[in-house]
Amino acid sequence: MVTLLDAISRLLGCVLIFSCVMFNIYPVGAARSFGITDADARTAMFMPALAARNGAFGVLVLSLSLTGQKRAIGMLWLAAIIPAVIDMRTCLSHGEKWQQHAISAVLFSILGSSML
């Protein structure tokens, strides 16, 4: 039986995989959606690396969810707080939009602690 937490995890896993594809196809647009409002080709050059992180994380979340490893997903969500906070700090240090990263950190902490 798929619980609400599993469904949310699977949805977020799919979003992460989708972001991997989009960040590689449209790196400048992805950088803008990531919080860098004045992104250009030069400032968006790190997006493929971010895409790889998101894609790998998404595949891992889906794999763990489909094999019923709820506690492992919970630990993974808690670990995801680290890049969310670092992304937020990066945006803050450059005067860019940081709120979506704060929301991610809160969401990951709630989701992760609920799945342990």
Side-chain angles (χ1 to χ4, degrees), residues 21-44:
V21 173
M22 296 309 293
F23 284 16
N24 276 291
I25 295 173
Y26 305 109
V28 174
R32 289 180 182 149
S33 71
F34 187 71
I36 303 170
T37 54
D38 61 346
D40 57 18
R42 185 170 186 271
T43 57

Side-chain angles (χ1 to χ4, degrees), residues 55-70:
F57 196 85
V59 168
L60 185 56
V61 167
L62 284 178
S63 299
L64 291 171
S65 179
L66 292 171
T67 57
Q69 299 183 54
K70 185 177 174 181

Side-chain angles (χ1 to χ4, degrees), residues 103-115:
I103 292 168
S104 294
V106 170
L107 175 66
F108 295 153
S109 64
I110 293 168
L111 196 55
S113 61
S114 298
M115 295 183 83

